[in-house]
Structures are given as C-alpha cells and as structure tokens.
Amino acid sequence: SSELTQDPAVSVALGQTVRITCQGDSLRSYYASWYQQKPGQAPVLVIYGKNNRPSGIPDRFSGSSSGNTASLTITGAQAEDEADYYCNSRDSSGNHHVVFGGGTKLTVL
Amino acid sequence: QVQLVESGGGLVKPGGSLRLSCAASGFTFSDYYMSWIRQAPGKGLEWVSYISSSSSYTNYADSVKGRFTISRDNAKNSLYLQMNSLRAEDTAVYYCARGNGVATVSDYWGQGTLVTVSS
C-alpha cells in the first residue's frame, strides 16, 4: 500500500479549475512532486518543490501544500490535460525511500 | 536535448536474471542522481532504486532489496539495473529517470523497457 493517498478519479469541465490532492505524513516535512502520464507515454514532471514548473509546462499548473496534504491545481483545464497524475515524495520511515501516490485519473468533460 | 534510452527488457522465467541499461545523452551524466521506476501493467508508478552521482550511495525499495543492484558507468554515460531472482510481480515497464537535485524529483524519463516474468 502507498504511503501517499490520492483520489482514484477526478473530473472537471473544460475551462474550469480542478484540484488534485495527495495526502501523507511525509508531506509535513517534504515537498511533493507531480507527474502527468498520458496513455502509452512516460511520465512528465509538471510541478516540484514549493511550486516550481519545469520549462515547457503551462502556467495553468500550480502546486501548494498544507499540513499533510499537497495539491496540484489546474486553472482552466484543457482537453489535453486529461491524463493520470501521480504525486511523489520521500517516505516517512527515515529510510530515504521514494514513494508514489496511487495516481488520479483526470477526466476533462 | 536530454535523452534517456532504456534497453535490455524481455521475457524471462521466474528465478531468472536480466540486466537493464539506460543510455544517457544531452547532459553531464556524472552530475546527477539517477533512478529506476517501474509500472506494472495497468497499475501505478513504483520507485525501485536510485544511485548518487558518484555511485557512493544507493537505495532500494523493500520489494527488490537483495535481488536488484543499481550501478552506473559515468565514463559511458550509462545506468544499469541487474535483476536477479525475478518474480512474476516484477513484470512491469521499467523507466530510468534523472534526478533534479534530489532523488525524489525525476525531471526526465526514458520511454521504458518492458520486463515480463513468466514461465
């Protein structure tokens, strides 16, 4: 079982705002990173650190954190944002392991 | 541009071994942590292992510790994963990924190589 918990599925109307969350004890101490994965493709990093976007990632993607919950917000969701989204961080065991959330399937209606 | 190309996947019997390779280009390989991350068919991402830039530090998921060994050759810009005592549950696409400052942030990923463990 994952130490980071994500909702399995979320939907959003085209052009609206959606928040995808990730919960876990380790997020009280470490930032989450967020990855987008489309069918048949490798994951792509979209958010890391406090709220950093790699080059080429649209500014409609943003990240935030509060307590044990990290959030990925897409402001003005586009059809091409339909994908699986995964969070990851360090685990809370002290082993310096990396842990991924179970993923959230985002549907853009 | 950054490129990561995995190879070495295939069909192997339970208990068998396989060595994956990842050829890196477009960046100074020796400056970065590198990781292996896998994805079973229809499932989510699972971290497997990472290695520091100089190979001085490695770490493994509990599910593979003692069976898998990560290594790198900075002179050849290559990352490796030696997989022994393979089990059916190791069946997955294996991705190599570059660490962005820390092992938990993977900023570039290869396209993956499929490992199937079946009799």
Side-chain angles (χ1 to χ4, degrees):
Chain A
S1 64
S2 175
E3 294 184 32
L4 296 178
T5 302
Q6 298 182 241
D7 291 329
V10 171
S11 61
V12 61
L14 184 67
Q16 296 303 300
T17 296
V18 62
R19 176 174 291 182
I20 298 170
T21 61
C22 175
Q23 288 188 301
D25 286 343
S26 64
L27 299 179
R28 297 184 184 278
S29 304
Y30 303 107
Y31 288 119
S33 300
W34 291 92
Y35 303 86
Q36 176 193 70
Q37 187 180 33
K38 297 180 180 179
Q41 297 183 18
V44 173
L45 177 68
V46 294
I47 290 289
Y48 66 99
K50 189 173 183 180
N51 181 21
N52 300 304
R53 279 177 291 106
S55 174
I57 301 302
D59 61 5
R60 63 179 178 271
F61 289 89
S62 63
S64 61
S65 185
S66 178
N68 73 336
T69 301
S71 300
L72 172 70
T73 300
I74 307 174
T75 303
Q78 302 300 302
E80 61 264 32
D81 300 334
E82 185 163 292
D84 293 327
Y85 290 85
Y86 295 90
C87 61
N88 87 331
S89 186
R90 272 196 186 180
D91 75 353
S92 54
S93 69
N95 290 333
H96 302 287
H97 286 186
V98 177
V99 61
F100 281 89
T104 297
K105 168 66 178 174
L106 176 67
T107 300
V108 179
L109 303 172
Chain B
Q1 72 281 22
V2 173
Q3 278 200 311
L4 298 169
V5 180
E6 303 94 337
S7 60
L11 175 63
V12 61
K13 289 181 168 54
S17 297
L18 212 55
R19 189 195 197 205
L20 305 184
S21 300
C22 172
S25 61
F27 65 103
T28 304
F29 181 71
S30 58
D31 284 349
Y32 291 86
Y33 268 69
M34 296 295 295
S35 298
W36 288 100
I37 297 155
R38 69 184 180 183
Q39 187 170 35
K43 302 296 185 182
L45 300 173
E46 180 188 14
W47 168 72
V48 173
S49 180
Y50 63 75
I51 186 169
S52 64
S53 56
S54 64
S55 303
S56 60
Y57 184 70
T58 59
N59 208 344
Y60 299 91
D62 291 344
S63 58
V64 306
K65 193 169 186 178
R67 301 187 299 123
F68 290 11
T69 302
I70 191 171
S71 63
R72 64 191 296 163
D73 185 336
N74 286 344
K76 294 183 177 180
N77 292 337
S78 293
L79 176 72
Y80 306 102
L81 186 68
Q82 177 66 43
M83 304 186 295
N84 298 330
S85 304
L86 283 161
R87 307 166 179 166
E89 54 265 36
D90 295 318
T91 294
V93 173
Y94 285 73
Y95 296 101
C96 73
R98 189 182 83 166
N100 183 352
V102 293
T104 51
V105 180
S106 294
D107 61 355
Y108 286 93
W109 298 58
Q111 282 304 304
T113 187
L114 176 62
V115 173
T116 303
V117 184
S118 174
S119 55

